[in-house]
Amino acid sequence: MTTIQRLLDLAAAAPDSDDEDLALFLREASELYQRGFEDLRDLVAARFAGMSAGDVAAAATAAGMPCDVSQDRGELLVLLALAEWEMTPAALAYTEMAEGAACRGVCLIPED
């Protein structure tokens, strides 16, 4: 099973789970979300290899991410990857899952 498929499966199972299972699902989904983003970031870096920071900044701006050419090339690539990642079914499913969990009082940040 791929990272993305597992994330989608967790998001699908979340609404019908009890709070304890939901917290476990959310923790696993968060790790998968980060892994999926890192994988996409690597693909974006490869896709923009050899391009100037100005060209990468222009692409990030065109993708709707505010930036400028003074930013580090790595930062610009992260912005580009984030713009693309946030629109994937996996990222959208995770966001919906996390919002649903929060409405139920379940989150990854421990209470003091």
Side-chain angles (χ1 to χ4, degrees):
M1 178 177 297
T2 67
T3 298
I4 291 172
Q5 184 58 51
R6 179 63 181 153
L7 182 52
L8 292 171
D9 288 348
L10 289 167
D16 296 328
S17 64
D18 62 38
D19 288 354
E20 186 176 325
D21 284 341
L22 179 57
L24 294 172
F25 292 168
L26 191 58
R27 185 168 290 108
E28 182 180 351
S30 177
E31 292 170 9
L32 294 170
Y33 179 97
Q34 295 303 320
R35 190 176 315 147
F37 175 71
E38 289 169 10
D39 291 346
L40 181 62
R41 186 187 61 209
D42 292 343
L43 290 173
V44 167
R47 202 167 47 220
F48 286 87
M51 293 181 74
S52 72
D55 290 340
V56 177
T61 300
M65 299 303 279
C67 65
D68 61 64
V69 292
S70 69
Q71 288 180 276
D72 175 80
R73 179 181 171 76
E75 292 173 354
L76 295 169
L77 291 170
V78 167
L79 289 173
L80 270 170
L82 187 59
E84 189 172 329
W85 175 248
E86 287 180 335
M87 300 311 297
T88 65
L92 293 169
Y94 175 76
T95 299
E96 185 175 321
M97 177 185 183
E99 288 172 354
C103 288
R104 291 171 49 183
V106 177
C107 71
L108 295 177
I109 301 170
E111 293 183 22
D112 290 334

XYZ file of all heavy atoms in Angstrom:
825
model
N 0.847 -1.175 0.000
C 0.000 0.000 0.000
C 0.896 1.243 0.000
O 1.878 1.307 0.726
C -0.901 -0.016 1.240
C -1.779 1.193 1.361
S -2.910 1.176 2.765
C -3.938 -0.209 2.401
N 0.537 2.219 -0.780
C 1.329 3.442 -0.846
C 1.015 4.362 0.334
O -0.017 4.213 1.002
C 1.040 4.207 -2.152
O -0.308 4.694 -2.114
C 1.268 3.338 -3.375
N 1.906 5.306 0.535
C 1.709 6.313 1.579
C 0.389 7.041 1.377
O -0.399 7.218 2.320
C 2.874 7.325 1.545
O 4.089 6.621 1.812
C 2.693 8.435 2.536
N 0.141 7.434 0.143
C -1.073 8.204 -0.155
C -2.318 7.359 0.050
O -3.307 7.818 0.630
C -0.991 8.788 -1.572
C 0.091 9.877 -1.585
C -2.325 9.340 -2.030
C 0.426 10.425 -2.945
N -2.278 6.105 -0.377
C -3.445 5.235 -0.207
C -3.746 5.012 1.276
O -4.893 5.051 1.696
C -3.248 3.892 -0.913
C -4.475 2.996 -0.839
C -5.724 3.630 -1.426
O -5.690 4.121 -2.540
N -6.812 3.624 -0.684
N -2.690 4.800 2.069
C -2.895 4.604 3.506
C -3.488 5.863 4.136
O -4.388 5.781 4.977
C -1.573 4.223 4.182
C -1.680 4.032 5.679
C -2.586 2.891 6.065
N -2.654 2.774 7.517
C -3.665 2.265 8.184
N -4.695 1.751 7.535
N -3.652 2.212 9.492
N -2.997 7.017 3.729
C -3.534 8.270 4.256
C -5.006 8.427 3.902
O -5.828 8.795 4.750
C -2.717 9.444 3.711
C -3.076 10.847 4.176
C -3.133 10.962 5.689
C -2.078 11.839 3.625
N -5.361 8.110 2.676
C -6.771 8.181 2.270
C -7.620 7.178 3.046
O -8.750 7.493 3.441
C -6.894 7.950 0.764
C -6.303 9.053 -0.123
C -6.285 8.610 -1.582
C -7.048 10.356 0.041
N -7.090 5.983 3.283
C -7.818 4.984 4.065
C -8.053 5.457 5.503
O -9.140 5.266 6.057
C -7.067 3.652 4.074
C -7.113 2.927 2.740
O -7.901 3.324 1.855
O -6.343 1.951 2.572
N -7.034 6.043 6.109
C -7.187 6.565 7.473
C -8.238 7.669 7.524
O -9.063 7.715 8.432
C -5.851 7.088 7.997
C -4.798 6.036 8.319
C -3.446 6.698 8.526
C -5.204 5.233 9.549
N -8.194 8.554 6.547
C -9.171 9.653 6.508
C -10.583 9.114 6.333
O -11.528 9.638 6.930
C -8.814 10.624 5.385
N -10.728 8.057 5.552
C -12.051 7.464 5.352
C -12.566 6.785 6.617
O -13.763 6.800 6.894
C -12.002 6.472 4.197
N -11.660 6.199 7.390
C -12.053 5.489 8.608
C -12.294 6.434 9.788
O -12.993 6.077 10.743
C -10.980 4.466 8.988
N -11.731 7.620 9.748
C -11.766 8.537 10.886
C -13.162 8.899 11.382
O -13.407 8.868 12.596
C -10.977 9.799 10.559
N -14.112 9.243 10.524
C -15.409 9.697 11.036
C -16.149 8.656 11.885
O -16.893 9.027 12.795
C -16.212 10.029 9.773
C -15.190 10.298 8.729
C -14.033 9.391 9.062
N -15.936 7.389 11.603
C -16.651 6.337 12.326
C -15.864 5.767 13.502
O -16.319 4.817 14.135
C -17.013 5.199 11.362
C -17.975 5.658 10.274
O -18.803 6.539 10.543
O -17.865 5.132 9.148
N -14.699 6.328 13.782
C -13.860 5.784 14.854
C -14.166 6.455 16.189
O -14.688 7.562 16.236
C -12.383 5.986 14.497
O -12.092 7.362 14.431
N -13.808 5.751 17.273
C -13.944 6.385 18.582
C -12.750 7.326 18.775
O -11.800 7.328 17.987
C -14.045 5.338 19.700
C -12.818 4.447 19.819
O -11.686 4.933 19.642
O -12.993 3.240 20.085
N -12.795 8.132 19.802
C -11.775 9.168 19.987
C -10.370 8.586 20.150
O -9.401 9.166 19.646
C -12.120 10.052 21.185
C -13.290 10.980 20.910
O -13.766 11.023 19.755
O -13.726 11.663 21.853
N -10.245 7.475 20.833
C -8.927 6.869 21.032
C -8.334 6.413 19.699
O -7.163 6.680 19.407
C -9.039 5.686 22.002
C -7.695 5.088 22.375
C -7.824 3.991 23.415
O -8.704 4.091 24.297
O -7.046 3.035 23.332
N -9.148 5.729 18.899
C -8.666 5.301 17.582
C -8.410 6.501 16.679
O -7.436 6.518 15.923
C -9.672 4.363 16.910
C -9.656 2.962 17.503
O -8.656 2.602 18.163
O -10.644 2.238 17.301
N -9.256 7.502 16.782
C -9.080 8.700 15.972
C -7.735 9.352 16.263
O -7.034 9.789 15.345
C -10.222 9.688 16.203
C -10.145 10.997 15.429
C -10.049 10.758 13.921
C -11.351 11.861 15.769
N -7.345 9.418 17.522
C -6.046 9.999 17.877
C -4.913 9.187 17.248
O -3.942 9.756 16.736
C -5.888 10.070 19.386
N -5.032 7.874 17.263
C -4.018 7.015 16.632
C -3.994 7.217 15.121
O -2.921 7.319 14.514
C -4.280 5.543 16.963
C -4.122 5.147 18.428
C -4.593 3.709 18.641
C -2.679 5.322 18.878
N -5.175 7.271 14.515
C -5.270 7.489 13.072
C -4.653 8.841 12.698
O -3.932 8.959 11.711
C -6.723 7.462 12.596
C -7.409 6.130 12.679
C -8.768 6.043 12.510
C -6.711 4.957 12.921
C -9.430 4.828 12.561
C -7.357 3.730 12.978
C -8.719 3.667 12.802
N -4.958 9.855 13.503
C -4.472 11.204 13.228
C -2.950 11.259 13.329
O -2.291 11.885 12.496
C -5.118 12.188 14.201
C -4.935 13.668 13.924
C -5.466 14.042 12.541
C -5.639 14.493 14.991
N -2.391 10.592 14.315
C -0.929 10.571 14.472
C -0.270 9.897 13.270
O 0.695 10.416 12.692
C -0.546 9.839 15.761
C 0.950 9.874 16.055
C 1.276 9.411 17.454
N 0.824 10.400 18.430
C -0.237 10.238 19.254
N -0.918 9.127 19.241
N -0.573 11.177 20.104
N -0.794 8.744 12.870
C -0.240 8.051 11.704
C -0.430 8.885 10.437
O 0.479 9.002 9.608
C -0.888 6.681 11.529
C -0.302 5.900 10.365
C -0.929 4.534 10.156
O -1.725 4.074 10.997
O -0.615 3.922 9.118
N -1.601 9.474 10.293
C -1.883 10.285 9.112
C -0.964 11.497 9.046
O -0.521 11.888 7.960
C -3.352 10.716 9.098
N -0.646 12.091 10.183
C 0.264 13.236 10.210
C 1.643 12.834 9.701
O 2.264 13.555 8.915
C 0.362 13.787 11.635
O 1.297 14.842 11.685
N 2.123 11.691 10.139
C 3.420 11.196 9.664
C 3.380 10.931 8.160
O 4.335 11.259 7.441
C 3.807 9.939 10.428
C 4.117 10.193 11.891
C 4.265 8.922 12.707
O 4.296 7.817 12.124
O 4.352 9.032 13.943
N 2.290 10.348 7.691
C 2.147 10.072 6.263
C 2.042 11.361 5.452
O 2.588 11.460 4.345
C 0.932 9.181 6.010
C 1.025 7.770 6.586
C -0.324 7.074 6.495
C 2.105 6.972 5.890
N 1.357 12.342 5.999
C 1.237 13.646 5.351
C 2.627 14.239 5.148
O 2.967 14.717 4.054
C 0.371 14.567 6.216
C 0.187 15.963 5.682
C -0.940 16.302 4.950
C 1.130 16.959 5.928
C -1.127 17.593 4.468
C 0.960 18.250 5.446
C -0.168 18.558 4.715
O -0.343 19.829 4.237
N 3.439 14.219 6.209
C 4.790 14.767 6.125
C 5.642 13.996 5.118
O 6.388 14.599 4.330
C 5.467 14.751 7.503
C 4.808 15.647 8.510
C 4.733 17.095 8.075
O 5.665 17.631 7.494
N 3.610 17.740 8.329
N 5.520 12.682 5.119
C 6.273 11.852 4.174
C 5.843 12.153 2.736
O 6.687 12.273 1.847
C 6.084 10.367 4.492
C 7.021 9.483 3.703
C 6.909 8.022 4.082
N 6.879 7.827 5.522
C 6.191 6.863 6.129
N 5.482 5.999 5.430
N 6.216 6.739 7.436
N 4.549 12.272 2.519
C 4.050 12.588 1.188
C 4.541 13.942 0.715
O 4.942 14.096 -0.450
N 4.539 14.914 1.616
C 5.039 16.237 1.260
C 6.528 16.183 0.930
O 6.979 16.789 -0.045
C 4.770 17.255 2.369
C 5.373 18.596 2.075
C 4.844 19.390 1.081
C 6.487 19.036 2.763
C 5.411 20.627 0.780
C 7.058 20.262 2.470
C 6.529 21.057 1.478
N 7.302 15.471 1.732
C 8.741 15.361 1.473
C 9.006 14.703 0.118
O 9.896 15.144 -0.623
C 9.418 14.560 2.584
C 9.490 15.308 3.898
C 9.923 14.426 5.060
O 10.359 13.276 4.834
O 9.837 14.893 6.209
N 8.244 13.668 -0.205
C 8.398 13.010 -1.503
C 8.107 13.985 -2.642
O 8.839 14.038 -3.630
C 7.481 11.788 -1.611
C 7.895 10.649 -0.700
O 9.025 10.668 -0.172
O 7.066 9.727 -0.503
N 7.039 14.747 -2.502
C 6.681 15.711 -3.539
C 7.716 16.825 -3.625
O 8.076 17.271 -4.717
C 5.289 16.287 -3.299
C 4.826 17.280 -4.362
C 4.739 16.613 -5.731
C 3.499 17.873 -3.986
N 8.230 17.256 -2.484
C 9.264 18.294 -2.472
C 10.496 17.828 -3.261
O 11.072 18.600 -4.030
C 9.660 18.648 -1.042
C 10.632 19.816 -0.955
C 11.124 20.037 0.446
N 11.815 18.841 0.879
C 11.902 18.439 2.133
N 11.346 19.118 3.095
N 12.559 17.338 2.446
N 10.866 16.568 -3.100
C 11.992 16.024 -3.861
C 11.698 16.034 -5.362
O 12.573 16.360 -6.168
C 12.317 14.603 -3.401
C 12.874 14.554 -1.988
O 13.308 15.606 -1.461
O 12.872 13.447 -1.399
N 10.471 15.698 -5.747
C 10.093 15.716 -7.162
C 10.118 17.132 -7.721
O 10.577 17.363 -8.848
C 8.699 15.104 -7.348
C 8.580 13.608 -7.126
C 7.113 13.180 -7.181
C 9.389 12.849 -8.162
N 9.623 18.075 -6.936
C 9.628 19.473 -7.371
C 11.069 19.961 -7.529
O 11.398 20.636 -8.512
C 8.826 20.354 -6.390
C 9.067 21.841 -6.640
C 7.343 20.035 -6.496
N 11.936 19.613 -6.585
C 13.344 20.024 -6.688
C 13.971 19.466 -7.958
O 14.714 20.184 -8.650
C 14.113 19.556 -5.455
N 13.661 18.226 -8.289
C 14.200 17.628 -9.512
C 13.630 18.319 -10.748
O 14.352 18.549 -11.722
C 13.886 16.133 -9.541
N 12.357 18.650 -10.704
C 11.701 19.295 -11.835
C 12.279 20.687 -12.111
O 12.351 21.123 -13.245
C 10.197 19.381 -11.555
C 9.348 19.518 -12.766
C 7.877 19.280 -12.511
N 7.342 19.975 -11.358
C 6.473 19.435 -10.512
N 6.039 18.204 -10.680
N 6.014 20.121 -9.489
N 12.702 21.383 -11.055
C 13.219 22.742 -11.209
C 14.745 22.794 -11.125
O 15.318 23.880 -11.027
C 12.583 23.669 -10.171
C 11.157 24.000 -10.490
C 10.123 23.181 -10.061
C 10.840 25.114 -11.253
C 8.808 23.473 -10.375
C 9.529 25.411 -11.572
C 8.510 24.581 -11.132
N 15.401 21.649 -11.186
C 16.871 21.613 -11.152
C 17.409 22.413 -12.332
O 16.896 22.347 -13.443
C 17.354 20.173 -11.215
N 18.430 23.204 -12.059
C 19.055 23.972 -13.120
C 18.405 25.315 -13.403
O 18.946 26.109 -14.168
N 17.251 25.560 -12.825
C 16.590 26.856 -13.038
C 17.118 27.870 -12.028
O 17.459 27.523 -10.907
C 15.076 26.717 -12.893
C 14.441 25.875 -13.985
S 12.645 25.746 -13.808
C 12.147 27.370 -14.336
N 17.151 29.106 -12.422
C 17.620 30.170 -11.534
C 16.612 30.398 -10.405
O 15.437 30.048 -10.526
C 17.807 31.465 -12.320
O 16.544 32.001 -12.672
N 17.101 31.031 -9.342
C 16.211 31.369 -8.223
C 15.101 32.296 -8.703
O 13.956 32.197 -8.242
C 16.993 32.007 -7.083
N 15.402 33.178 -9.633
C 14.389 34.075 -10.181
C 13.292 33.320 -10.902
O 12.105 33.638 -10.767
N 13.674 32.304 -11.677
C 12.684 31.489 -12.382
C 11.845 30.675 -11.397
O 10.633 30.528 -11.582
C 13.365 30.552 -13.382
C 13.954 31.284 -14.576
O 13.533 32.426 -14.842
O 14.842 30.708 -15.228
N 12.490 30.171 -10.358
C 11.749 29.408 -9.337
C 10.801 30.332 -8.588
O 9.648 29.974 -8.323
C 12.719 28.677 -8.371
C 11.958 27.960 -7.271
C 13.609 27.690 -9.129
N 11.250 31.552 -8.278
C 10.379 32.531 -7.608
C 9.191 32.881 -8.493
O 8.060 32.989 -8.000
C 11.168 33.787 -7.250
N 9.426 33.031 -9.777
C 8.331 33.337 -10.701
C 7.324 32.191 -10.736
O 6.106 32.415 -10.758
C 8.877 33.612 -12.100
N 7.816 30.962 -10.726
C 6.923 29.799 -10.722
C 6.124 29.737 -9.425
O 4.927 29.432 -9.437
C 7.724 28.514 -10.923
N 6.773 30.032 -8.298
C 6.069 30.028 -7.011
C 4.998 31.111 -6.985
O 3.881 30.877 -6.514
C 7.056 30.221 -5.863
N 5.315 32.275 -7.492
C 4.342 33.359 -7.557
C 3.165 32.965 -8.445
O 2.004 33.185 -8.088
C 5.000 34.653 -8.073
O 6.053 35.010 -7.172
C 4.006 35.790 -8.169
N 3.464 32.358 -9.587
C 2.401 31.909 -10.492
C 1.526 30.842 -9.843
O 0.337 30.737 -10.149
C 3.014 31.368 -11.782
N 2.104 30.074 -8.908
C 1.349 29.037 -8.199
C 0.548 29.612 -7.035
O -0.146 28.880 -6.327
C 2.296 27.951 -7.692
N 0.665 30.941 -6.831
C -0.127 31.580 -5.775
C 0.576 31.675 -4.439
O -0.050 31.998 -3.428
N 1.873 31.415 -4.410
C 2.631 31.489 -3.163
C 3.434 32.790 -3.148
O 4.269 33.007 -4.018
C 3.579 30.297 -3.035
C 2.868 28.954 -3.008
S 1.648 28.785 -1.694
C 2.677 28.376 -0.319
N 3.172 33.672 -2.185
C 3.909 34.923 -2.130
C 5.388 34.676 -1.814
O 5.710 33.921 -0.902
C 3.223 35.697 -0.999
C 2.532 34.671 -0.177
C 2.226 33.524 -1.099
N 6.259 35.268 -2.616
C 7.690 35.100 -2.408
C 8.424 36.188 -3.164
O 7.825 36.988 -3.868
C 8.137 33.724 -2.885
S 7.950 33.501 -4.659
N 9.747 36.208 -2.998
C 10.569 37.121 -3.785
C 11.914 36.465 -4.056
O 12.272 35.471 -3.430
C 10.722 38.491 -3.103
C 11.393 38.400 -1.750
O 12.575 37.993 -1.706
O 10.745 38.738 -0.744
N 12.651 37.039 -4.980
C 13.903 36.432 -5.415
C 14.984 36.456 -4.348
O 15.988 35.774 -4.486
C 14.426 37.073 -6.720
C 13.523 36.751 -7.879
C 14.626 38.556 -6.553
N 14.787 37.225 -3.284
C 15.783 37.257 -2.212
C 15.723 36.006 -1.336
O 16.640 35.764 -0.558
C 15.608 38.512 -1.351
O 14.404 38.433 -0.607
N 14.670 35.226 -1.471
C 14.545 34.007 -0.673
C 15.501 32.943 -1.182
O 15.826 32.879 -2.367
C 13.108 33.478 -0.709
C 12.152 34.332 0.088
C 10.750 33.794 0.030
O 10.029 34.076 -0.912
N 10.371 33.038 1.033
N 15.924 32.106 -0.275
C 16.788 30.985 -0.595
C 16.084 30.046 -1.577
O 14.872 29.853 -1.486
C 17.117 30.255 0.721
C 17.918 29.011 0.519
O 19.143 29.134 0.338
O 17.311 27.922 0.531
N 16.830 29.486 -2.493
C 16.269 28.573 -3.496
C 15.505 27.420 -2.837
O 14.431 27.036 -3.281
C 17.386 28.039 -4.383
C 16.928 27.081 -5.430
C 18.132 26.584 -6.253
N 17.750 25.521 -7.126
C 17.063 25.674 -8.255
N 16.704 26.869 -8.630
N 16.738 24.646 -8.984
N 16.045 26.885 -1.743
C 15.369 25.799 -1.028
C 14.010 26.219 -0.499
O 13.046 25.456 -0.560
N 13.928 27.441 0.018
C 12.647 27.964 0.505
C 11.647 28.088 -0.631
O 10.464 27.774 -0.466
C 12.841 29.335 1.151
C 13.616 29.323 2.445
C 13.931 30.726 2.948
O 13.651 31.711 2.231
O 14.459 30.824 4.064
N 12.133 28.552 -1.776
C 11.243 28.696 -2.933
C 10.720 27.344 -3.397
O 9.537 27.209 -3.749
C 11.982 29.409 -4.071
C 12.395 30.850 -3.794
C 13.337 31.353 -4.878
C 11.180 31.745 -3.651
N 11.574 26.339 -3.366
C 11.145 24.999 -3.768
C 10.116 24.436 -2.784
O 9.157 23.772 -3.194
C 12.347 24.064 -3.891
C 13.284 24.377 -5.057
C 14.564 23.554 -4.957
C 12.586 24.148 -6.393
N 10.294 24.724 -1.499
C 9.311 24.295 -0.501
C 7.964 24.962 -0.770
O 6.911 24.312 -0.701
C 9.804 24.575 0.935
C 8.677 24.441 1.940
C 10.946 23.640 1.296
N 7.984 26.251 -1.100
C 6.737 26.957 -1.412
C 6.043 26.346 -2.626
O 4.820 26.160 -2.622
C 7.006 28.444 -1.651
C 7.384 29.268 -0.432
C 7.779 30.674 -0.851
C 6.246 29.300 0.574
N 6.819 26.041 -3.655
C 6.241 25.414 -4.846
C 5.645 24.052 -4.513
O 4.539 23.723 -4.945
C 7.318 25.241 -5.927
C 7.476 26.378 -6.891
C 8.721 26.180 -7.733
C 6.258 26.491 -7.777
N 6.389 23.259 -3.750
C 5.901 21.935 -3.374
C 4.645 22.049 -2.518
O 3.687 21.288 -2.695
C 6.986 21.153 -2.633
N 4.628 23.005 -1.609
C 3.461 23.190 -0.745
C 2.233 23.579 -1.553
O 1.135 23.056 -1.310
C 3.758 24.246 0.316
C 2.697 24.440 1.386
C 2.444 23.144 2.141
C 3.113 25.545 2.339
N 2.407 24.474 -2.513
C 1.274 24.870 -3.360
C 0.692 23.662 -4.082
O -0.532 23.508 -4.177
C 1.719 25.922 -4.371
N 1.559 22.795 -4.567
C 1.093 21.594 -5.271
C 0.521 20.569 -4.301
O -0.533 19.984 -4.543
C 2.265 21.001 -6.055
C 1.875 19.900 -6.997
C 3.017 19.459 -7.890
O 3.890 20.278 -8.227
O 3.022 18.263 -8.252
N 1.214 20.342 -3.170
C 0.800 19.323 -2.206
C -0.569 19.619 -1.605
O -1.395 18.727 -1.440
C 1.843 19.183 -1.107
C 1.455 18.242 -0.013
C 1.177 18.568 1.273
C 1.264 16.825 -0.112
N 0.841 17.446 1.988
C 0.888 16.356 1.160
C 1.370 15.907 -1.148
C 0.616 15.020 1.418
C 1.106 14.565 -0.882
C 0.737 14.136 0.374
N -0.813 20.868 -1.263
C -2.072 21.224 -0.597
C -3.299 20.914 -1.437
O -4.397 20.834 -0.904
C -2.064 22.709 -0.210
C -1.166 23.010 0.956
C -1.165 24.470 1.345
O -1.467 25.333 0.485
O -0.855 24.754 2.509
N -3.125 20.740 -2.736
C -4.251 20.461 -3.619
C -4.397 18.974 -3.959
O -5.287 18.602 -4.709
C -4.120 21.276 -4.910
C -4.094 22.781 -4.657
S -5.407 23.399 -3.568
C -6.853 22.998 -4.498
N -3.537 18.135 -3.392
C -3.641 16.699 -3.673
C -4.784 16.088 -2.870
O -5.124 16.581 -1.782
C -2.340 15.955 -3.327
O -2.118 16.035 -1.912
C -1.143 16.508 -4.093
N -5.380 15.018 -3.363
C -6.436 14.348 -2.601
C -5.972 13.927 -1.203
O -6.733 14.031 -0.235
C -6.787 13.142 -3.463
C -6.437 13.557 -4.855
C -5.215 14.428 -4.700
N -4.725 13.485 -1.081
C -4.228 13.045 0.223
C -4.155 14.205 1.206
O -4.580 14.072 2.364
C -2.848 12.396 0.068
N -3.624 15.337 0.780
C -3.523 16.491 1.670
C -4.902 17.030 2.031
O -5.152 17.394 3.182
C -2.670 17.580 1.027
N -5.785 17.080 1.055
C -7.147 17.542 1.328
C -7.861 16.609 2.303
O -8.569 17.064 3.212
C -7.928 17.668 0.020
C -7.448 18.769 -0.925
C -8.116 18.636 -2.290
C -7.698 20.142 -0.326
N -7.664 15.310 2.131
C -8.287 14.334 3.038
C -7.726 14.484 4.450
O -8.478 14.420 5.437
C -8.065 12.918 2.519
N -6.422 14.696 4.562
C -5.825 14.875 5.884
C -6.367 16.133 6.554
O -6.690 16.119 7.744
C -4.295 14.944 5.801
C -3.692 15.261 7.140
C -3.601 14.278 8.124
C -3.270 16.548 7.457
C -3.088 14.570 9.379
C -2.759 16.845 8.703
C -2.670 15.856 9.659
O -2.175 16.141 10.901
N -6.450 17.206 5.806
C -6.970 18.458 6.366
C -8.392 18.265 6.876
O -8.734 18.703 7.987
C -6.918 19.577 5.307
O -5.562 19.771 4.920
C -7.500 20.866 5.836
N -9.217 17.600 6.095
C -10.595 17.337 6.519
C -10.615 16.446 7.759
O -11.395 16.674 8.687
C -11.373 16.681 5.381
C -12.832 16.494 5.687
C -13.602 15.946 4.500
O -13.327 16.343 3.358
O -14.495 15.113 4.736
N -9.740 15.455 7.778
C -9.655 14.552 8.928
C -9.245 15.319 10.185
O -9.850 15.147 11.256
C -8.638 13.450 8.637
C -8.391 12.485 9.759
S -7.055 11.361 9.276
C -7.012 10.282 10.676
N -8.231 16.159 10.088
C -7.754 16.919 11.236
C -8.810 17.907 11.728
O -8.989 18.076 12.940
C -6.466 17.652 10.873
N -9.513 18.545 10.800
C -10.577 19.469 11.193
C -11.713 18.731 11.887
O -12.251 19.200 12.889
C -11.090 20.226 9.974
C -10.112 21.251 9.446
C -10.529 21.870 8.123
O -11.538 21.441 7.520
O -9.825 22.800 7.675
N -12.081 17.567 11.362
C -13.123 16.761 11.996
C -12.718 16.301 13.385
O -13.517 16.301 14.321
N -11.456 15.907 13.509
C -10.947 15.476 14.814
C -10.970 16.640 15.804
O -11.373 16.474 16.961
C -9.533 14.920 14.669
N -10.577 17.815 15.344
C -10.571 18.984 16.222
C -11.981 19.316 16.709
O -12.172 19.682 17.875
C -9.958 20.180 15.495
N -12.953 19.164 15.838
C -14.349 19.407 16.235
C -14.797 18.433 17.315
O -15.693 18.746 18.098
C -15.269 19.304 15.025
S -15.108 20.685 13.887
N -14.173 17.277 17.358
C -14.480 16.272 18.383
C -13.563 16.400 19.601
O -13.633 15.602 20.528
C -14.355 14.866 17.784
C -15.436 14.583 16.768
C -15.244 13.303 16.000
N -14.958 12.122 16.808
C -14.707 10.921 16.292
N -14.738 10.745 14.974
N -14.441 9.899 17.072
N -12.669 17.378 19.583
C -11.759 17.598 20.703
C -10.533 16.715 20.670
O -9.847 16.560 21.685
N -10.221 16.138 19.513
C -9.072 15.256 19.370
C -8.018 15.991 18.558
O -8.295 16.469 17.459
C -9.447 13.937 18.664
C -8.236 13.070 18.445
C -10.517 13.203 19.459
N -6.811 16.092 19.099
C -5.721 16.725 18.361
C -4.392 16.094 18.774
O -4.332 15.320 19.720
C -5.695 18.235 18.562
S -5.186 18.745 20.202
N -3.345 16.439 18.067
C -2.026 15.874 18.335
C -1.251 16.667 19.375
O -0.239 16.199 19.877
C -1.203 15.808 17.038
C -1.759 14.874 15.974
C -0.907 14.933 14.713
C -1.828 13.444 16.493
N -1.716 17.858 19.709
C -1.033 18.685 20.690
C -1.559 18.301 22.085
O -2.758 18.434 22.347
C -1.279 20.177 20.424
C -0.771 20.517 19.020
C -0.603 21.036 21.472
C -1.173 21.894 18.553
N -0.671 17.829 22.931
C -1.136 17.408 24.265
C -1.613 18.589 25.095
O -1.075 19.693 24.992
C 0.094 16.757 24.890
C 1.255 17.234 24.099
C 0.751 17.651 22.759
N -2.633 18.342 25.883
C -3.134 19.370 26.801
C -2.257 19.415 28.033
O -1.743 18.412 28.481
C -4.558 19.066 27.200
C -5.553 19.183 26.059
C -6.983 18.931 26.505
O -7.268 19.085 27.710
O -7.794 18.568 25.646
N -2.086 20.609 28.577
C -1.290 20.752 29.818
C -2.129 20.504 31.025
O -3.267 20.636 31.121
C -0.681 22.154 29.896
C 0.418 22.317 28.847
O 1.014 21.322 28.443
O 0.669 23.470 28.461
